[in-house]
Amino acid sequence: MNSRQPIPVVVLAGFLGSGKTTVLNHLLAHRGGTRIGVVVNDFGSIEIDAMSVAGQLGDSMVSLGGGCLCCAVDGSELDAYLEKLAAPVHRIDVIVIEASGLAEPQEMIRMLMASENPDIRYGGMVEVVDAAEFDATRARHPETGRHLAVADLVVLNKTDRVDAAERARIEKELAALCAPGIPVVGADHGRIDPELLFDRRPWTETRGQLSFEDLLAEADDQDHGQDQDQDQDHGHSGHAHAAYESVEFVSEQALSPRRFIDFLDRRPAGLYRIKGFVYFGVPGHEERYEVHAVGRFLRFAPQPWGRGEARLTQLVLIGSGTDGPELLRELDACREPAPHQVHPESMWGVLRYVARPAEQEPEPEPEWESEPAEASPEAGEV
């Protein structure tokens, strides 16, 4: 069996002209040391500026600077290209699928959730919306609501082209079209924080860390050659991360699985990303649980502790407009002083979001003492 952790696959969707490619290019340009595999769905119908990074496109795959790979595929080939990108030789950290403007993202999500490839896992769906053309897009594409309904995170792009009142109106309509609690991130020129979707690895390191310090050290190297954009950057602090805050939580005491799941269920819409490791210490489930949340998407992955590694919880929470001290108080309330006295049944809420290996069949009545892999096939759906 492959001992590597599966690679998260993030779906980047949105109708033609919404700015998906601009968002993708921003992610590629600000990835730090992260190796990103990019799959472009229905390449013939869209313009992908990311290809200019490589200067040329091969038959189907091109190696981009800094370890990025880009594929041009249609839906029927997606599985094959994901398998190719996930090969250990490429050392990919995250895969981003840029869906065509005519793609049905829910079908792509269903395929990824049902994939039997142990080297990948679904990492959430991001829908890019054009603020300046919002009404026109909805008129042309009645399926807009269907796409938004399955999004885990919405990027309201081109906010610099609408006034505050118009933006507020659009955000209100998005709240009605999306599932409850889905966060909406405003952006101009596709500039969102890469940390909202994946861990950026510092160039000097080979393994990702929970630290947010590398993001704060990012140089403002965007649009310096354009005076107009420079003026606009000064008004927006120039950095994609300027609108976000991060909170770090560390606990040497185990967390109650039920109270932690309750915290996740109640997390505010402005809390865009949660990442890190959780120690529950419940009998039969004493592994280290990696937690990954993008918007309302949630996934746990049990992992063995390293030799001599301290049993503790380490979390980073990234959001905008959130109350950091209150989040820390709520997490403090999740501490469990006597985890070995907690009944294994309390882990069921966590196990719902653990992917089951494809070769295992679901059991009608789960045994609470079984391995965490015996989770619901709906893992990842909140």
Side-chain angles (χ1 to χ4, degrees):
M1 294 296 292
N2 194 339
S3 60
R4 295 188 308 137
Q5 290 300 308
I7 300 169
V9 180
V10 177
V11 177
L12 185 64
F15 292 105
L16 194 64
S18 62
K20 297 188 306 296
T21 298
T22 306
V23 171
L24 174 59
N25 288 335
H26 176 76
L27 296 175
L28 292 174
H30 296 83
R31 64 190 178 274
T34 303
R35 295 177 65 87
I36 305 177
V38 179
V39 176
V40 181
N41 175 236
D42 205 0
F43 175 73
S45 68
I46 62 176
E47 181 178 342
I48 174 71
D49 295 335
M51 295 302 176
S52 65
V53 178
Q56 61 180 356
L57 174 67
D59 293 336
S60 61
M61 180 179 294
V62 62
S63 178
L64 302 182
C68 295
L69 296 174
C70 211
C71 305
V73 304
D74 60 31
S76 64
E77 297 172 312
L78 187 55
D79 261 336
Y81 278 96
L82 288 175
E83 182 176 357
K84 189 176 295 185
L85 283 172
V89 65
H90 298 309
R91 296 184 289 116
I92 293 294
D93 299 308
V94 61
I95 297 172
V96 179
I97 299 177
E98 182 184 359
S100 122
L102 302 178
E104 287 291 344
Q106 59 267 50
E107 294 302 321
M108 199 168 293
I109 293 169
R110 186 174 295 113
M111 184 187 69
L112 291 171
M113 295 289 286
S115 174
E116 297 185 357
N117 185 344
D119 294 325
I120 65 169
R121 62 173 172 82
Y122 175 55
M125 197 277 270
V126 180
E127 180 78 9
V128 182
V129 174
D130 185 340
E133 299 291 332
F134 179 70
D135 293 327
T137 300
R138 289 191 66 191
R140 288 194 306 270
H141 300 286
E143 64 271 28
T144 297
R146 188 169 69 246
H147 291 194
L148 288 167
V150 297
D152 299 297
L153 181 72
V154 175
V155 175
L156 182 60
N157 196 28
K158 307 182 186 179
T159 54
D160 55 311
R161 295 178 55 187
V162 298
D163 59 28
E166 176 69 358
R167 177 174 174 174
R169 179 188 71 83
I170 295 172
E171 289 178 342
K172 184 176 180 180
E173 292 197 34
L174 288 173
L177 292 169
C178 296
I182 295 298
V184 177
V185 179
D188 63 81
H189 297 86
R191 292 176 290 198
I192 66 169
D193 188 338
E195 289 274 344
L196 298 183
L197 305 182
F198 54 80
D199 292 343
R200 295 191 318 141
R201 302 176 187 268
W203 286 110
T204 56
E205 299 186 14
T206 58
R207 302 183 66 86
Q209 294 186 357
L210 292 175
S211 174
F212 205 55
E213 294 176 356
D214 64 311
L215 185 67
L216 300 178
E218 177 182 293
D220 181 11
D221 58 356
Q222 301 181 61
D223 303 324
H224 284 308
Q226 303 179 29
D227 292 339
Q228 181 177 358
D229 284 345
Q230 279 187 349
D231 292 339
Q232 187 176 59
D233 283 348
H234 288 306
H236 292 277
S237 300
H239 294 277
H241 68 262
Y244 311 126
E245 307 93 33
S246 70
V247 174
E248 297 187 9
F249 174 79
V250 179
S251 174
E252 295 181 358
Q253 199 171 63
L255 299 192
S256 161
R258 282 179 172 162
R259 291 197 291 274
F260 186 60
I261 285 293
D262 184 55
F263 165 80
L264 294 174
D265 286 343
R266 293 182 291 102
R267 66 191 187 272
L271 185 54
Y272 304 139
R273 177 93 192 276
I274 302 174
K275 59 178 181 175
F277 303 94
V278 185
Y279 174 53
F280 296 113
V282 174
H285 304 281
E286 297 180 350
E287 305 95 328
R288 179 179 72 168
Y289 280 77
E290 180 184 10
V291 59
H292 168 77
V294 174
R296 303 310 294 180
F297 174 79
L298 176 63
R299 173 79 70 174
F300 285 97
Q303 304 170 356
W305 295 97
R307 180 173 297 179
E309 185 176 2
R311 271 55 170 170
L312 48 76
T313 293
Q314 295 178 290
L315 296 172
V316 172
L317 301 89
I318 304 172
S320 177
T322 53
D323 186 339
E326 177 59 25
L327 291 175
L328 291 176
R329 282 192 291 270
E330 292 186 32
L331 286 170
D332 278 332
C334 295
R335 297 178 193 266
E336 174 54 59
H340 293 292
Q341 297 179 17
V342 175
H343 196 283
E345 180 179 334
S346 66
M347 285 293 294
W348 181 238
V350 172
L351 298 184
R352 287 180 56 223
Y353 302 109
V354 173
R356 177 190 294 111
E359 68 271 14
Q360 292 189 0
E361 294 296 327
E363 297 182 5
E365 294 295 334
E367 296 291 338
W368 299 115
E369 292 76 18
S370 64
E371 292 297 317
E374 295 291 328
S376 166
E378 288 79 26
E381 298 178 0
V382 180

